[in-house]
């Protein structure tokens, strides 16, 4: 159970490697489908009380990161030139999805014994917030200094 991260990393690495050979339109379609899967899985979990569908160790939680990483790689130059508008767009998507998730994904199935449970780890907003952070940190131009 505690080594789930390595399995997810292995699967995500393979998916990324395989998808790198695909055209942008196919990668976008796969990204969209993986986001939809990520978006609807917690709803299915709440309806069925099957916690493993939205468990933190599910490789499905990490699938969209493979596809968004490909876009971040392929468009690194554009991202560097238009960094702040892209970050604002990604943060806007984060806020929209977070609002939906905090209103739609509440369910005691995620944390038993609580009357009001936080949304599951399976969240679309995390994909966009992670991408925004990546774009922010892309092409850092300052040089680290030594503290004396």
């Amino acid at each position: 159970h505690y080594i789930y991260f390595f399995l997810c990393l292995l699967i995500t690495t393979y998916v990324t490697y395989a998808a790198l050979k695909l055209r942008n339109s196919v990668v976008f379609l796969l990204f969209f489908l993986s986001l939809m899967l990520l978006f609807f899985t917690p709803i299915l979990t709440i309806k069925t009380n099957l916690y493993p569908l939205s468990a933190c160790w599910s490789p499905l939680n990490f699938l969209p990161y493979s596809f968004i990483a490909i876009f971040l790689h392929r468009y690194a130059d554009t991202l560097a030139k238009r960094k702040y508008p892209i970050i604002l767009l990604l943060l806007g998507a984060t806020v929209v999805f977070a609002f939906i998730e905090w209103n739609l994904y509440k369910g005691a199935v995620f944390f038993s014994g609580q009357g009001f449970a936080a949304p599951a780890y399976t969240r679309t907003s995390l994909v966009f917030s992670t991408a925004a952070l990546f774009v922010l940190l892309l092409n850092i131009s300052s040089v680290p200094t030594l503290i004396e």
Side-chain angles (χ1 to χ4, degrees):
H1 188 114
Y2 293 105
I3 60 169
Y4 78 90
F5 177 76
F6 295 109
L7 177 62
C8 291
L9 185 61
L10 180 68
I11 291 169
T12 306
T13 301
Y14 177 75
V15 167
T16 305
Y17 175 76
L20 273 170
K21 297 171 172 63
L22 302 174
R23 294 185 324 234
N24 282 344
S25 58
V26 177
V27 174
F28 180 79
L29 177 64
L30 292 171
F31 175 65
F32 179 76
L33 292 174
S34 65
L35 274 180
M36 290 298 98
L37 182 64
L38 194 66
F39 183 80
F40 287 111
T41 300
I43 297 168
L44 185 60
T45 300
I46 291 169
K47 298 283 185 201
T48 62
N49 284 334
L50 294 172
Y51 170 74
L53 292 175
S54 294
C56 65
W57 43 262
S58 172
L60 297 177
N61 291 327
F62 305 100
L63 199 53
Y65 294 97
S66 293
F67 306 117
I68 202 162
I70 291 170
F71 285 122
L72 293 173
H73 168 71
R74 288 182 180 172
Y75 295 104
D77 293 337
T78 304
L79 294 172
K81 292 176 189 168
R82 302 195 38 90
K83 179 186 274 191
Y84 297 108
I86 292 169
I87 290 171
L88 287 175
L89 182 68
L90 290 168
L91 289 177
T94 299
V95 169
V96 168
F97 280 103
F99 180 79
I100 293 169
E101 291 159 358
W102 278 89
N103 286 292
L104 194 60
Y105 293 172
K106 297 177 287 198
V109 69
F110 300 124
F111 300 98
S112 62
Q114 296 180 353
F116 179 87
Y121 182 73
T122 306
R123 293 201 308 258
T124 307
S125 62
L126 295 176
V127 175
F128 292 108
S129 62
T130 302
L133 183 61
F134 180 84
V135 173
L136 178 67
L137 298 175
L138 189 66
N139 299 326
I140 294 176
S141 58
S142 65
V143 177
T145 58
L146 295 175
I147 300 174
E148 294 181 26

